[in-house]
Each structure stands twice: as C-alpha cells, then as structure tokens.
Amino acid sequence: MERNLPIPTVFYTQKILFKTPRFSHFWGGMGLLFLFLGATSGCTTSLRQWVAQGFKVGPEYCRPAVETADHWRDHQEPGIKTDEPELSQWWTVFNDPVLVQLVESAQRENLPLRIAGLRVLEARYQLGVVRGYLGPQDQMLAGTFKRSMMSKNAMPFANFAGSGFIPMVYDDWFIGGQLAWELDFWGRFRRMIESAEANLEAEQESCRAALILLQAETAATYLQLRTVDERLALAEKNVQLQQDTLRIARARFEQGIVSELDVQQAQAALANTESMIPMLKTLRRVSENRLCTLLGMPPQDISEIVGPPGKIPAAPPEVVVGIPAELVRRRPDVRRAERLAAAQSARIGIAEAELYPHIAITGQLGYQAQNFPELFYGRSLTGIISPGFRWDILQYGRLRNAVRVEDARFRQALLGYQEAVLRACEEAEGAITAFLQEQVRVRALARATEAVEKAVQLALLQYQQGVIDFQRVLDSQRGLVQQQDALAESRGKVAANLVTIYKALGGGWQGGAGMVLAEMPASETLPPEAPSPQSEKPKAEKAPSEKTSSEKTPGPAAKPSRSEAAPAEIVPNLPEPPKP
C-alpha cells in the first residue's frame, strides 16, 4: 500500500517537464562569441574566409603545379613517337598469346593485388564511418528499472520516517532515448570527410600501381624465361658443334697428324660450354617459380601453361610514349602522392578546429513512471534538451603547435608529390634510352655473330685441310659461344626495356581497374594445423581418384576453389581525371 502513495515533486527530481528553452539567449551568446573570436589573434582563418569556404576553417586545397619537360630527350629518334599512346593492354604488342594469358591470369589470382584491393575496401568503409559523424554522434535507446529505499536514520528522511507522508520505498521505471550531437560549426567533420575521401583515392591509386607492377613483372619474368630458353638452345647447339670438333681432333691425333694437345684443348672447350647448361637451367627454374608465385600458386611444373621452350617475343621497333606532362595524370604513384597531399591539407583544418569551441546539443526523451502500467501514459512523458559548448583554453600552445605540425606535414607531402613527378620522368627517360641503345647493341651483336659463324666454318675447314692450327678453331668457337649468348641476352633486354617503358608510362590500369576481390571464408582465415607424424599416411595408400582440394592446383585460366566458394565484391572502374 505504501507504493501507491503520491510522490511529491520536490523529492521526485527525475520527473522533468518540458519547458520552451530560450534559444534567443543562447544564440545571442553565440553572437558575442563570434565577436570574441574575430578579435582573437590565435585563429588562423578569418571570419570572412570561414564564410567563403562554406563555414569551414583551415586552407582550401588546390592541386599544386609541377614542372615537366616539354618533350622527351630522345623524341627525335626514329623509334620514338609522341602520339597519344594506347596503354590499356600494352602486353599485346609482343603478339604472344601465352603472355596475354599469363597477364590476365595474374590479374585474377595474384595475392598482393588482392591485398591492395582489400585496402581500397578498408578505406571505403572508413569513409563511411567518418561520414556518420555529421549526424548525432551519440545515440542510445535505454530502459531501466530501479527500486529505491530511503534510510530511516539519515537526514533528511529520518524526521519523516514514521509520518507516512513520504514513501521510504518506491519504484522507478524508465524507457526512452538520448542523443548528443556536436554541430559541425567549424567544418571539423567535413574536413575529416575530405581527408578520408582523399585517402580512399590514394588507396585506389596504390591498387592501380600494384596492378601495373604485377603486369610488368609478369611480362618481364616470362621474357626472362624465353631468353633463357633461347640461350639454353644455343648452348646445347654449341655443345654439339664442339663435340664434333673433338671427334675431328681425336681422329687426327689417332692418325698421328696432330699432337694430344689439340684433343685436350677441345675437351676443355667442350666442358666449359657444358658448364653453362646447369646455370641456365637454374635460371629457368627460378623464372618458373616466380611465375607460379605471381599466378597465386605454389611452385610447380608449368609447361602446360607456358608450353615448350620457345623464342624471345619480338619487340616492335617503335614505341608510342606521348609527352612527359601526361605522366602527371597517368602514373598511379604520382596521383597517389597528390591525393596524400590533399588528405594532409584537410588535416590542417581538423587541427585548427580544435582552437574553437565545440558546440553541441544533448537531449533525452522518454517515459518515466513509478508503476509500470502507467509508464506509457501521456503524463509520464519526460525530456531534456541542453545546448552548450566546450572550449579548450589555456593549452599552452599545444593546439596551435598541432596546427603547425599538420602544416609542416602538408609541406612535406607537397615536396613528395614533386619528387614523385621527377622520379617518374627520370624512370621514363631511362627506360626510353635503354630501349633505343639496346636496339643499337642488338644490331652490332647480330653483325658480330654472323661474322663469327662464318669464321667458325672457315676455321674448321682449314683445320681439316691442315692449313691452320687448332688454336684458331678454339678461338673462333669460343667467340661463337660468347657472341650468340650475348646476342640472345641483348634481344631479351630489348623486350624487357620495352616492358619497363610501359611500366614507367603508367600503362595497364586503364583496362584492369575493375577487379574481382573474393572474400575468403572463415575456414581459411587460419592456417591448417600440421598433421602429427603418427597420423601421416604414405601416398601409396591413397587411391588415384582420391585427390583432395588442397592438392588441386588450378591453372591460370581457372579460379581457385576459395574464389568459387565465396561471394565477390567489385572494385569499380574509376573515370580518368581530365587532362591538364
């Protein structure tokens, strides 16, 4: 019966009635605050600039101008064209279907490229988090029940303990919501969004840079494989030639025409040439293993993918490179450096906003009653609204120096952007020069190789006729081995330098920015436990048809099983920025 007694309002302080707040007083105070801010010398953004920038403090970012050359240093060479290049699928200029298949497979299966793509998704989700700060930052729905009992021996309730006028035990039911909203008065949250957007674009450029690097490394590794194939074929051909020479020298020695010296010299030359073959086979295995890694598979025999040993793909004699100014809009690393500078510029405004008061509105709305059946009655409605501000003062220069720190970082980012442009131009210039000069070297080596081949034929014929000694034959055959190997290696360098040109020009991402990122299922997030020695069974006990999923190694044209078992998310193609 005691719970049904009326509760005086003087003690039931949690029941708060709505009353129209005098917002005119609040905004009048804010007007005085503006006048005070205008007279404060510590603010770096003027009131007029604050209004012109859309009520945001801090500097407005503008893309910095960079200096580039008007043309390439070798633009007058016959092998260089300055037209607009088509770089979306530059690897097709080699006219090698195996190379095209490898690049396309690497774009699907390469693991570092997937990691770069997931970083893009991470930055995109982080942008979504920051955008949520524009609304009420603290939102909560709560419900509570409390049963309170007053002490009969403590003031002020001891005097009323026996009167029955004031209940000493009562209940309190409450359900409602509350929020706290810091207004973006100085543009702090909008600057955070600007920074997050620039970071997202920077991660997209990083993903594109990873794609370009993957394409170039795949093509260069394949060209290295074909270069080794050609060098290995030439070495085996020279071994046959020197074996024939050894038989001739041994026959002439057995006939008593020459001494044993010719035989020993022929055997030494043959062994020296044979020693090249293991080295070249090692280089080929290294190239195969590297291709497997790029394709996202463990090292294995990839003869079914690359086919039998073949020739070096011929590089076109001319290359279209455009002009140096196009690197600024095409190279992802340059564009990333510019976006990082934009993100850092926004952080200056974030730091400067801390110099100003934080204006916020807090409120609560709900139902509160002593008895639960009366909780949702109209007279049980309760609410609070409380505008206010918080201003960090007397910080002893900490906030001001924080702005200077962000400004210094912004200046570093600007210099980093300029350095990225210079490095891009340097890399492109070096690749163009290397491509042109290596072509000159190939032509010289081709003439030398042709002359040495004729010299070998003449020397062997004259040796059989007894006109010259065996040393002339040895010298010519050694020269043939060296010249043919140098020519094959130089032809491989021409193709590799062309790949470097396309990489330096920033080509390849225009047609490959829309990548499928497969989310790995939870079962693959942790590595499997290694089986104990007792549980291991010999391979002979497994039937030929029993092949586990871990033993299946898909080719480059097939997606791994983890991609088929999980949903995919698309990183969309991004439009190219306008030309400067």
Side-chain angles (χ1 to χ4, degrees), residues 550-561:
S550 61
E551 295 174 345
K552 296 179 181 179
T553 305
K559 295 183 179 180
S561 58

Side-chain angles (χ1 to χ4, degrees), residues 491-538:
R491 290 180 60 244
K493 286 183 178 180
V494 169
N497 289 334
L498 182 59
V499 172
T500 305
I501 288 179
Y502 288 125
K503 172 176 169 288
L505 294 178
W509 64 263
Q510 295 85 351
M515 295 170 294
V516 177
L517 300 178
E519 297 182 358
M520 298 178 61
S523 60
E524 295 189 9
T525 56
L526 295 176
E529 297 183 359
S532 59
Q534 293 79 5
S535 61
E536 293 182 355
K537 296 182 179 181

Side-chain angles (χ1 to χ4, degrees), residues 317-376:
E318 297 179 343
V319 58
V320 182
V321 296
I323 59 176
E326 294 176 350
L327 292 180
V328 178
R329 70 175 185 87
R330 190 190 302 122
R331 289 260 307 212
D333 57 338
V334 175
R335 294 165 49 151
R336 176 181 180 272
E338 188 271 331
R339 289 290 83 200
L340 290 178
Q344 184 57 41
S345 174
R347 294 190 187 101
I348 299 177
I350 298 173
E352 185 178 344
E354 296 295 331
L355 296 172
Y356 302 88
H358 297 258
I359 303 173
I361 298 176
T362 58
Q364 176 178 303
L365 184 65
Y367 291 93
Q368 190 174 20
Q370 178 186 4
N371 301 316
F372 182 77
E374 302 174 355
L375 181 61
F376 296 101

Side-chain angles (χ1 to χ4, degrees), residues 6 82 86 122 139 145 152 174 214 224 226 256 267 270 272 281 384 407 419 491 575 577 580:
T82 57
E86 173 56 40
E122 177 187 355
Q139 308 173 33
F145 167 73
K152 298 179 181 180
F174 173 79
L214 172 64
Q224 182 181 3
R226 290 309 184 205
Q267 289 179 344
L270 174 61
N272 186 52
K281 288 184 177 181
I384 302 173
D407 181 71
E419 176 66 15
R491 290 180 60 244

Side-chain angles (χ1 to χ4, degrees), residues 36-114:
F36 178 77
L37 289 177
T40 303
S41 61
C43 303
T44 59
T45 302
S46 64
L47 182 61
R48 178 178 299 178
Q49 185 180 1
W50 173 68
V51 175
Q53 294 178 170
F55 305 101
K56 293 184 292 185
V57 298
E60 283 293 297
Y61 175 76
C62 181
R63 179 176 297 180
V66 291
E67 182 180 358
T68 58
D70 297 332
H71 50 75
W72 305 107
R73 297 184 61 182
D74 297 315
H75 70 283
Q76 296 180 348
E77 293 291 333
I80 299 299
K81 293 184 177 181
T82 57
D83 301 334
E84 179 70 19
E86 173 56 40
L87 304 175
S88 60
Q89 292 184 338
W90 54 262
W91 51 90
T92 59
V93 301
F94 293 100
N95 296 321
D96 192 318
V98 176
L99 176 58
V100 174
Q101 181 187 9
L102 287 174
V103 173
E104 293 177 353
S105 301
Q107 290 178 168
R108 291 192 305 266
E109 311 297 344
N110 185 257
L111 299 182
L113 184 60
R114 292 189 178 189

